[in-house]
Amino acid sequence: MNSEIPPQRLSPGLYIVATPIGNLGDITMRAADVLRRCDAVACEDTRVTGKLMHHLGAHKPLLRYDDHASERDRERLLERMRGDAVALVSDAGTPLVSDPGYRLVRDARELGIAVTALPGACAAVAGLTLSGLPNDRFLFAGFLPVKDKARGEALAGLASVDATLIFYESGPRLVKSLAAIGEVLPGRQVSVAREITKLHEECRSASAQELADHYSANPPKGEIVLLVGPPVERQASADDADALLVDALQTLKPSQAAAQVAKATGLDRKALYARAMDLRER
Ligand code: SAM
């Protein structure tokens, strides 16, 4: 007689499950649990997800899904979520982040189906943390357009954004993108985070031109996150604000210090308050 207690069923709904971006050790305990206990897994590529499921010892039906699926297929999947727990995964990282799932989540929410997120690896965030670029504000812009003119226009459209910019990039296009960044966003600090969590992980920071020269001579392999620091004046003012906050915190509460520095610099009081709390913790 089998004395094992069967695992408890998950309640029906949509489970958005992040998976590793290279190192399988980055699967979360909750993601592994849900993938073992759900009723079905909607995924981009059944072979890719099949390998992860095999690694986890999870054996569930794999249903191919992307946002180009027909309305009928999506409706069928949504219908299934009314009685079953359906996990949504992408090939790697967080579903919906430059990956399928948006339409499915939107429709599930509209239909009142329970939707829950299991956060985990995301290359954009991992790249940001590795880069050492200012991270109090960042803008994730997905992949840059492939064509030169459209790429230049996309970058020009982001020139005034007062934040670190994050792009996904491929090896063959990296040098062209770096050259365009050098031209359209001169003077910025740039980082290339490659093969994050994998054997050949690297993160290289320099000017766009220096990086373009480096990667022309050493064509990059693998997956890449490309990051561009905020406009130069902002980096200076962020540093200045830190110095002013540290000074003010000697005698004032964080809220008062933030208000004082906001008045002196014109920077956002709420952001300064968050920074003041952060500085005080340290
Ligand atoms: N949803 C995923 C996430 O949360 O990161 C991203 C999917 S997007 C289709 C794939 C792109 O993410 C790659 O082309 C690359 O730019 C970036 N990427 C994924 N894994 C990476 C890694 N280990 N190192 C660097 N970049 C990575």
Side-chain angles (χ1 to χ4, degrees):
M1 199 175 84
N2 187 350
S3 58
E4 262 183 46
I5 304 167
Q8 236 188 328
R9 273 200 82 197
L10 290 171
S11 50
L14 173 59
Y15 295 72
I16 306 164
V17 181
T19 59
I21 56 169
N23 187 326
L24 288 181
D26 290 336
I27 188 90
T28 68
M29 290 166 77
R30 195 167 155 233
D33 180 53
V34 163
L35 292 176
R36 291 189 185 113
R37 288 167 62 208
C38 65
D39 298 299
V41 180
C43 59
E44 279 184 274
D45 184 329
T46 53
R47 280 165 310 173
V48 173
T49 300
K51 282 187 200 151
L52 175 69
M53 296 295 278
H54 179 77
H55 172 78
L56 297 173
H59 308 286
K60 300 291 171 184
L62 302 181
L63 316 169
R64 227 196 70 72
Y65 174 80
D66 64 33
D67 281 330
H68 305 298
S70 67
E71 285 288 318
R72 185 74 208 102
D73 282 350
R74 187 157 52 251
E75 276 165 20
R76 221 175 279 143
L77 198 50
L78 290 161
E79 204 42 53
R80 183 156 187 180
M81 290 169 201
R82 294 192 183 279
D84 281 349
V86 177
L88 170 71
V89 300
S90 57
D91 285 353
T94 301
L96 282 83
V97 178
S98 289
D99 265 341
Y102 162 70
R103 292 199 172 114
L104 195 64
V105 171
R106 178 198 61 191
D107 292 357
R109 296 185 64 81
E110 273 173 12
L111 292 168
I113 291 166
V115 179
T116 189
L118 284 78
C122 175
V125 174
L128 178 68
T129 58
L130 276 173
S131 70
L133 289 169
N135 54 41
D136 54 334
R137 256 185 282 177
F138 57 88
L139 186 142
F140 172 65
F143 289 91
L144 279 166
V146 179
K147 298 220 165 104
D148 294 350
K149 186 163 178 276
R151 187 196 294 115
E153 284 169 1
L155 287 169
L158 294 168
S160 62
V161 173
D162 195 6
T164 288
L165 307 174
I166 309 177
F167 303 99
Y168 284 158
E169 192 47 277
S170 74
R173 291 208 281 265
L174 178 64
V175 171
K176 275 196 162 188
S177 292
L178 286 167
I181 289 166
E183 233 170 74
V184 184
L185 308 173
R188 307 276 185 109
Q189 209 186 336
V190 178
S191 294
V192 173
R194 201 172 60 81
E195 292 290 85
I196 303 169
T197 76
K198 302 186 201 174
L199 187 61
H200 298 294
E201 174 178 304
E202 75 161 358
C203 183
R204 204 170 269 276
S205 301
S207 70
Q209 191 52 56
E210 283 164 329
L211 289 169
D213 292 345
H214 172 80
Y215 286 111
S216 297
N218 308 277
K221 291 200 181 110
E223 298 189 285
I224 292 165
V225 181
L226 174 58
L227 304 103
V228 182
V232 182
E233 320 79 71
R234 171 158 146 69
Q235 283 181 40
S237 66
D239 290 347
D240 293 348
D242 269 10
L244 291 171
L245 278 174
V246 168
D247 208 33
L249 284 168
Q250 309 281 338
T251 52
L252 299 175
K253 289 190 211 157
S255 57
Q256 295 167 324
Q260 180 175 299
V261 177
K263 209 168 167 194
T265 61
L267 292 170
D268 179 61
R269 192 177 54 78
K270 274 193 192 150
L272 287 167
Y273 176 69
R275 185 68 186 144
M277 294 298 285
D278 200 32
L279 289 168
R280 200 182 59 164
E281 298 268 294
R282 293 187 206 168

PDB file of all heavy atoms in Angstrom, residues 21-22 90 92-95 97-99 121-124 143 168-169 193-198 223-225, ligand 1:
ATOM      1  N   ILE A  21      16.948  32.317 -14.884  1.00  0.00           N
ATOM      2  CA  ILE A  21      17.449  32.883 -16.153  1.00  0.00           C
ATOM      3  C   ILE A  21      18.783  32.237 -16.528  1.00  0.00           C
ATOM      4  O   ILE A  21      19.539  32.779 -17.312  1.00  0.00           O
ATOM      5  CB  ILE A  21      17.596  34.417 -16.080  1.00  0.00           C
ATOM      6  CG1 ILE A  21      18.499  34.848 -14.907  1.00  0.00           C
ATOM      7  CG2 ILE A  21      16.238  35.087 -15.985  1.00  0.00           C
ATOM      8  CD1 ILE A  21      18.891  36.331 -14.951  1.00  0.00           C
ATOM      9  N   GLY A  22      19.073  31.112 -15.963  1.00  0.00           N
ATOM     10  CA  GLY A  22      20.336  30.420 -16.294  1.00  0.00           C
ATOM     11  C   GLY A  22      20.636  29.360 -15.256  1.00  0.00           C
ATOM     12  O   GLY A  22      20.668  28.163 -15.551  1.00  0.00           O
ATOM     13  N   SER A  90       7.453  31.376 -18.621  1.00  0.00           N
ATOM     14  CA  SER A  90       8.046  31.639 -19.930  1.00  0.00           C
ATOM     15  C   SER A  90       9.328  30.813 -20.016  1.00  0.00           C
ATOM     16  O   SER A  90       9.640  30.064 -19.084  1.00  0.00           O
ATOM     17  CB  SER A  90       8.288  33.134 -20.123  1.00  0.00           C
ATOM     18  OG  SER A  90       9.105  33.633 -19.103  1.00  0.00           O
ATOM     19  N   ALA A  92      12.327  31.642 -19.664  1.00  0.00           N
ATOM     20  CA  ALA A  92      13.244  31.999 -18.581  1.00  0.00           C
ATOM     21  C   ALA A  92      12.792  33.299 -17.941  1.00  0.00           C
ATOM     22  O   ALA A  92      12.247  34.167 -18.629  1.00  0.00           O
ATOM     23  CB  ALA A  92      14.662  32.181 -19.135  1.00  0.00           C
ATOM     24  N   GLY A  93      12.996  33.411 -16.644  1.00  0.00           N
ATOM     25  CA  GLY A  93      12.720  34.664 -15.947  1.00  0.00           C
ATOM     26  C   GLY A  93      11.239  34.870 -15.650  1.00  0.00           C
ATOM     27  O   GLY A  93      10.474  33.911 -15.490  1.00  0.00           O
ATOM     28  N   THR A  94      10.863  36.129 -15.608  1.00  0.00           N
ATOM     29  CA  THR A  94       9.512  36.500 -15.192  1.00  0.00           C
ATOM     30  C   THR A  94       8.589  36.605 -16.402  1.00  0.00           C
ATOM     31  O   THR A  94       8.863  37.397 -17.312  1.00  0.00           O
ATOM     32  CB  THR A  94       9.567  37.854 -14.440  1.00  0.00           C
ATOM     33  OG1 THR A  94      10.434  37.698 -13.303  1.00  0.00           O
ATOM     34  CG2 THR A  94       8.199  38.277 -13.962  1.00  0.00           C
ATOM     35  N   PRO A  95       7.507  35.819 -16.420  1.00  0.00           N
ATOM     36  CA  PRO A  95       6.559  35.936 -17.526  1.00  0.00           C
ATOM     37  C   PRO A  95       6.081  37.387 -17.651  1.00  0.00           C
ATOM     38  O   PRO A  95       6.067  38.133 -16.664  1.00  0.00           O
ATOM     39  CB  PRO A  95       5.406  35.020 -17.099  1.00  0.00           C
ATOM     40  CG  PRO A  95       6.008  34.050 -16.149  1.00  0.00           C
ATOM     41  CD  PRO A  95       7.097  34.808 -15.435  1.00  0.00           C
ATOM     42  N   VAL A  97       7.526  39.909 -18.813  1.00  0.00           N
ATOM     43  CA  VAL A  97       8.604  40.886 -18.972  1.00  0.00           C
ATOM     44  C   VAL A  97       9.307  40.538 -20.288  1.00  0.00           C
ATOM     45  O   VAL A  97      10.076  39.581 -20.358  1.00  0.00           O
ATOM     46  CB  VAL A  97       9.604  40.857 -17.795  1.00  0.00           C
ATOM     47  CG1 VAL A  97      10.743  41.849 -18.021  1.00  0.00           C
ATOM     48  CG2 VAL A  97       8.883  41.169 -16.497  1.00  0.00           C
ATOM     49  N   SER A  98       8.960  41.264 -21.366  1.00  0.00           N
ATOM     50  CA  SER A  98       9.394  40.919 -22.737  1.00  0.00           C
ATOM     51  C   SER A  98       9.074  39.462 -23.044  1.00  0.00           C
ATOM     52  O   SER A  98       9.837  38.784 -23.734  1.00  0.00           O
ATOM     53  CB  SER A  98      10.894  41.178 -22.938  1.00  0.00           C
ATOM     54  OG  SER A  98      11.157  42.547 -22.975  1.00  0.00           O
ATOM     55  N   ASP A  99       8.013  38.972 -22.517  1.00  0.00           N
ATOM     56  CA  ASP A  99       7.589  37.586 -22.691  1.00  0.00           C
ATOM     57  C   ASP A  99       6.064  37.527 -22.706  1.00  0.00           C
ATOM     58  O   ASP A  99       5.405  38.460 -22.245  1.00  0.00           O
ATOM     59  CB  ASP A  99       8.121  36.733 -21.512  1.00  0.00           C
ATOM     60  CG  ASP A  99       9.430  36.056 -21.858  1.00  0.00           C
ATOM     61  OD1 ASP A  99       9.747  35.936 -23.057  1.00  0.00           O
ATOM     62  OD2 ASP A  99      10.128  35.626 -20.935  1.00  0.00           O
ATOM     63  N   ALA A 121      13.474  35.324 -10.598  1.00  0.00           N
ATOM     64  CA  ALA A 121      14.525  35.905 -11.439  1.00  0.00           C
ATOM     65  C   ALA A 121      13.943  36.771 -12.551  1.00  0.00           C
ATOM     66  O   ALA A 121      12.918  36.453 -13.136  1.00  0.00           O
ATOM     67  CB  ALA A 121      15.354  34.783 -12.056  1.00  0.00           C
ATOM     68  N   CYS A 122      14.657  37.858 -12.818  1.00  0.00           N
ATOM     69  CA  CYS A 122      14.324  38.734 -13.951  1.00  0.00           C
ATOM     70  C   CYS A 122      15.641  39.369 -14.388  1.00  0.00           C
ATOM     71  O   CYS A 122      16.322  40.022 -13.590  1.00  0.00           O
ATOM     72  CB  CYS A 122      13.327  39.804 -13.518  1.00  0.00           C
ATOM     73  SG  CYS A 122      13.003  40.989 -14.829  1.00  0.00           S
ATOM     74  N   ALA A 123      16.012  39.151 -15.655  1.00  0.00           N
ATOM     75  CA  ALA A 123      17.323  39.611 -16.122  1.00  0.00           C
ATOM     76  C   ALA A 123      17.480  41.122 -15.984  1.00  0.00           C
ATOM     77  O   ALA A 123      18.569  41.607 -15.657  1.00  0.00           O
ATOM     78  CB  ALA A 123      17.533  39.171 -17.567  1.00  0.00           C
ATOM     79  N   ALA A 124      16.400  41.874 -16.230  1.00  0.00           N
ATOM     80  CA  ALA A 124      16.496  43.339 -16.163  1.00  0.00           C
ATOM     81  C   ALA A 124      16.909  43.782 -14.762  1.00  0.00           C
ATOM     82  O   ALA A 124      17.801  44.615 -14.590  1.00  0.00           O
ATOM     83  CB  ALA A 124      15.151  43.959 -16.540  1.00  0.00           C
ATOM     84  N   PHE A 143      13.481  45.432 -25.836  1.00  0.00           N
ATOM     85  CA  PHE A 143      14.492  45.371 -26.905  1.00  0.00           C
ATOM     86  C   PHE A 143      14.447  46.657 -27.730  1.00  0.00           C
ATOM     87  O   PHE A 143      13.356  47.149 -28.055  1.00  0.00           O
ATOM     88  CB  PHE A 143      14.200  44.189 -27.831  1.00  0.00           C
ATOM     89  CG  PHE A 143      14.475  42.845 -27.211  1.00  0.00           C
ATOM     90  CD1 PHE A 143      13.477  42.156 -26.526  1.00  0.00           C
ATOM     91  CD2 PHE A 143      15.735  42.261 -27.307  1.00  0.00           C
ATOM     92  CE1 PHE A 143      13.725  40.914 -25.953  1.00  0.00           C
ATOM     93  CE2 PHE A 143      15.992  41.019 -26.738  1.00  0.00           C
ATOM     94  CZ  PHE A 143      14.989  40.340 -26.062  1.00  0.00           C
ATOM     95  N   TYR A 168      17.020  44.899 -23.189  1.00  0.00           N
ATOM     96  CA  TYR A 168      17.478  43.553 -23.517  1.00  0.00           C
ATOM     97  C   TYR A 168      18.172  43.631 -24.870  1.00  0.00           C
ATOM     98  O   TYR A 168      17.756  44.396 -25.738  1.00  0.00           O
ATOM     99  CB  TYR A 168      16.292  42.581 -23.563  1.00  0.00           C
ATOM    100  CG  TYR A 168      15.785  42.193 -22.183  1.00  0.00           C
ATOM    101  CD1 TYR A 168      14.493  41.719 -22.003  1.00  0.00           C
ATOM    102  CD2 TYR A 168      16.605  42.286 -21.067  1.00  0.00           C
ATOM    103  CE1 TYR A 168      14.021  41.354 -20.742  1.00  0.00           C
ATOM    104  CE2 TYR A 168      16.148  41.931 -19.808  1.00  0.00           C
ATOM    105  CZ  TYR A 168      14.866  41.471 -19.650  1.00  0.00           C
ATOM    106  OH  TYR A 168      14.419  41.116 -18.404  1.00  0.00           O
ATOM    107  N   GLU A 169      19.232  42.850 -25.031  1.00  0.00           N
ATOM    108  CA  GLU A 169      20.013  42.945 -26.262  1.00  0.00           C
ATOM    109  C   GLU A 169      20.546  41.582 -26.642  1.00  0.00           C
ATOM    110  O   GLU A 169      20.639  40.680 -25.790  1.00  0.00           O
ATOM    111  CB  GLU A 169      21.160  43.962 -26.033  1.00  0.00           C
ATOM    112  CG  GLU A 169      21.882  44.393 -27.259  1.00  0.00           C
ATOM    113  CD  GLU A 169      20.940  44.780 -28.402  1.00  0.00           C
ATOM    114  OE1 GLU A 169      20.495  43.862 -29.120  1.00  0.00           O
ATOM    115  OE2 GLU A 169      20.647  45.971 -28.568  1.00  0.00           O
ATOM    116  N   ALA A 193      25.686  43.678 -19.008  1.00  0.00           N
ATOM    117  CA  ALA A 193      25.648  42.528 -18.090  1.00  0.00           C
ATOM    118  C   ALA A 193      25.309  41.307 -18.946  1.00  0.00           C
ATOM    119  O   ALA A 193      24.262  41.266 -19.591  1.00  0.00           O
ATOM    120  CB  ALA A 193      24.594  42.738 -17.011  1.00  0.00           C
ATOM    121  N   ARG A 194      26.208  40.345 -18.956  1.00  0.00           N
ATOM    122  CA  ARG A 194      26.086  39.225 -19.909  1.00  0.00           C
ATOM    123  C   ARG A 194      26.061  37.897 -19.159  1.00  0.00           C
ATOM    124  O   ARG A 194      26.762  37.737 -18.153  1.00  0.00           O
ATOM    125  CB  ARG A 194      27.314  39.292 -20.825  1.00  0.00           C
ATOM    126  CG  ARG A 194      27.194  38.584 -22.156  1.00  0.00           C
ATOM    127  CD  ARG A 194      28.386  38.881 -23.033  1.00  0.00           C
ATOM    128  NE  ARG A 194      29.622  38.432 -22.406  1.00  0.00           N
ATOM    129  CZ  ARG A 194      30.070  37.178 -22.422  1.00  0.00           C
ATOM    130  NH1 ARG A 194      29.406  36.242 -23.037  1.00  0.00           N
ATOM    131  NH2 ARG A 194      31.204  36.867 -21.802  1.00  0.00           N
ATOM    132  N   GLU A 195      25.241  36.990 -19.642  1.00  0.00           N
ATOM    133  CA  GLU A 195      25.206  35.629 -19.110  1.00  0.00           C
ATOM    134  C   GLU A 195      25.021  35.595 -17.583  1.00  0.00           C
ATOM    135  O   GLU A 195      25.692  34.837 -16.876  1.00  0.00           O
ATOM    136  CB  GLU A 195      26.482  34.879 -19.513  1.00  0.00           C
ATOM    137  CG  GLU A 195      26.598  34.602 -21.000  1.00  0.00           C
ATOM    138  CD  GLU A 195      25.595  33.546 -21.465  1.00  0.00           C
ATOM    139  OE1 GLU A 195      24.459  33.926 -21.750  1.00  0.00           O
ATOM    140  OE2 GLU A 195      25.962  32.366 -21.527  1.00  0.00           O
ATOM    141  N   ILE A 196      24.107  36.419 -17.112  1.00  0.00           N
ATOM    142  CA  ILE A 196      23.882  36.546 -15.668  1.00  0.00           C
ATOM    143  C   ILE A 196      23.467  35.197 -15.078  1.00  0.00           C
ATOM    144  O   ILE A 196      22.613  34.512 -15.660  1.00  0.00           O
ATOM    145  CB  ILE A 196      22.795  37.612 -15.387  1.00  0.00           C
ATOM    146  CG1 ILE A 196      23.204  38.944 -16.005  1.00  0.00           C
ATOM    147  CG2 ILE A 196      22.559  37.784 -13.896  1.00  0.00           C
ATOM    148  CD1 ILE A 196      22.076  39.984 -16.024  1.00  0.00           C
ATOM    149  N   THR A 197      24.062  34.864 -13.982  1.00  0.00           N
ATOM    150  CA  THR A 197      23.858  33.607 -13.207  1.00  0.00           C
ATOM    151  C   THR A 197      24.462  32.380 -13.902  1.00  0.00           C
ATOM    152  O   THR A 197      24.320  31.266 -13.418  1.00  0.00           O
ATOM    153  CB  THR A 197      22.370  33.277 -12.871  1.00  0.00           C
ATOM    154  OG1 THR A 197      21.705  32.771 -14.041  1.00  0.00           O
ATOM    155  CG2 THR A 197      21.610  34.459 -12.313  1.00  0.00           C
ATOM    156  N   LYS A 198      25.116  32.578 -15.041  1.00  0.00           N
ATOM    157  CA  LYS A 198      25.700  31.430 -15.754  1.00  0.00           C
ATOM    158  C   LYS A 198      27.212  31.418 -15.553  1.00  0.00           C
ATOM    159  O   LYS A 198      27.801  32.351 -14.998  1.00  0.00           O
ATOM    160  CB  LYS A 198      25.368  31.502 -17.239  1.00  0.00           C
ATOM    161  CG  LYS A 198      23.864  31.546 -17.515  1.00  0.00           C
ATOM    162  CD  LYS A 198      23.594  31.473 -18.991  1.00  0.00           C
ATOM    163  CE  LYS A 198      22.229  32.021 -19.311  1.00  0.00           C
ATOM    164  NZ  LYS A 198      21.980  32.099 -20.739  1.00  0.00           N
ATOM    165  N   GLU A 223      23.485  35.842 -23.582  1.00  0.00           N
ATOM    166  CA  GLU A 223      22.386  36.792 -23.383  1.00  0.00           C
ATOM    167  C   GLU A 223      22.873  38.054 -22.674  1.00  0.00           C
ATOM    168  O   GLU A 223      23.771  37.985 -21.825  1.00  0.00           O
ATOM    169  CB  GLU A 223      21.294  36.113 -22.563  1.00  0.00           C
ATOM    170  CG  GLU A 223      20.736  34.913 -23.304  1.00  0.00           C
ATOM    171  CD  GLU A 223      19.509  34.371 -22.614  1.00  0.00           C
ATOM    172  OE1 GLU A 223      19.671  33.725 -21.577  1.00  0.00           O
ATOM    173  OE2 GLU A 223      18.403  34.608 -23.115  1.00  0.00           O
ATOM    174  N   ILE A 224      22.231  39.159 -23.021  1.00  0.00           N
ATOM    175  CA  ILE A 224      22.774  40.461 -22.595  1.00  0.00           C
ATOM    176  C   ILE A 224      21.690  41.405 -22.074  1.00  0.00           C
ATOM    177  O   ILE A 224      20.613  41.520 -22.666  1.00  0.00           O
ATOM    178  CB  ILE A 224      23.474  41.130 -23.800  1.00  0.00           C
ATOM    179  CG1 ILE A 224      24.730  40.318 -24.173  1.00  0.00           C
ATOM    180  CG2 ILE A 224      23.830  42.582 -23.524  1.00  0.00           C
ATOM    181  CD1 ILE A 224      25.292  40.654 -25.516  1.00  0.00           C
ATOM    182  N   VAL A 225      22.029  42.099 -20.990  1.00  0.00           N
ATOM    183  CA  VAL A 225      21.237  43.256 -20.557  1.00  0.00           C
ATOM    184  C   VAL A 225      22.148  44.473 -20.729  1.00  0.00           C
ATOM    185  O   VAL A 225      23.293  44.468 -20.281  1.00  0.00           O
ATOM    186  CB  VAL A 225      20.780  43.143 -19.088  1.00  0.00           C
ATOM    187  CG1 VAL A 225      19.938  44.353 -18.709  1.00  0.00           C
ATOM    188  CG2 VAL A 225      19.981  41.864 -18.859  1.00  0.00           C
TER     189      VAL A 225
HETATM  190  N1  SAM B   1      11.228  37.337 -19.043  1.00  0.00           N
HETATM  191  C1  SAM B   1      12.662  37.345 -19.036  1.00  0.00           C
HETATM  192  C2  SAM B   1      13.159  38.008 -17.762  1.00  0.00           C
HETATM  193  O1  SAM B   1      12.411  38.107 -16.800  1.00  0.00           O
HETATM  194  O2  SAM B   1      14.310  38.411 -17.699  1.00  0.00           O
HETATM  195  C3  SAM B   1      13.224  37.998 -20.279  1.00  0.00           C
HETATM  196  C4  SAM B   1      12.798  37.352 -21.561  1.00  0.00           C
HETATM  197  S1  SAM B   1      13.439  38.131 -22.990  1.00  0.00           S
HETATM  198  C5  SAM B   1      12.588  37.267 -24.253  1.00  0.00           C
HETATM  199  C6  SAM B   1      15.031  37.415 -23.122  1.00  0.00           C
HETATM  200  C7  SAM B   1      16.135  38.450 -22.994  1.00  0.00           C
HETATM  201  O3  SAM B   1      16.416  38.663 -21.605  1.00  0.00           O
HETATM  202  C8  SAM B   1      17.465  37.997 -23.573  1.00  0.00           C
HETATM  203  O4  SAM B   1      17.512  38.255 -24.966  1.00  0.00           O
HETATM  204  C9  SAM B   1      18.443  38.852 -22.807  1.00  0.00           C
HETATM  205  O5  SAM B   1      18.493  40.148 -23.336  1.00  0.00           O
HETATM  206  C10 SAM B   1      17.790  38.880 -21.426  1.00  0.00           C
HETATM  207  N2  SAM B   1      18.309  37.789 -20.599  1.00  0.00           N
HETATM  208  C11 SAM B   1      17.684  36.645 -20.260  1.00  0.00           C
HETATM  209  N3  SAM B   1      18.488  35.884 -19.491  1.00  0.00           N
HETATM  210  C12 SAM B   1      19.648  36.552 -19.343  1.00  0.00           C
HETATM  211  C13 SAM B   1      20.864  36.285 -18.673  1.00  0.00           C
HETATM  212  N4  SAM B   1      21.048  35.161 -17.996  1.00  0.00           N
HETATM  213  N5  SAM B   1      21.837  37.212 -18.740  1.00  0.00           N
HETATM  214  C14 SAM B   1      21.659  38.359 -19.420  1.00  0.00           C
HETATM  215  N6  SAM B   1      20.533  38.661 -20.073  1.00  0.00           N
HETATM  216  C15 SAM B   1      19.537  37.783 -20.041  1.00  0.00           C
END
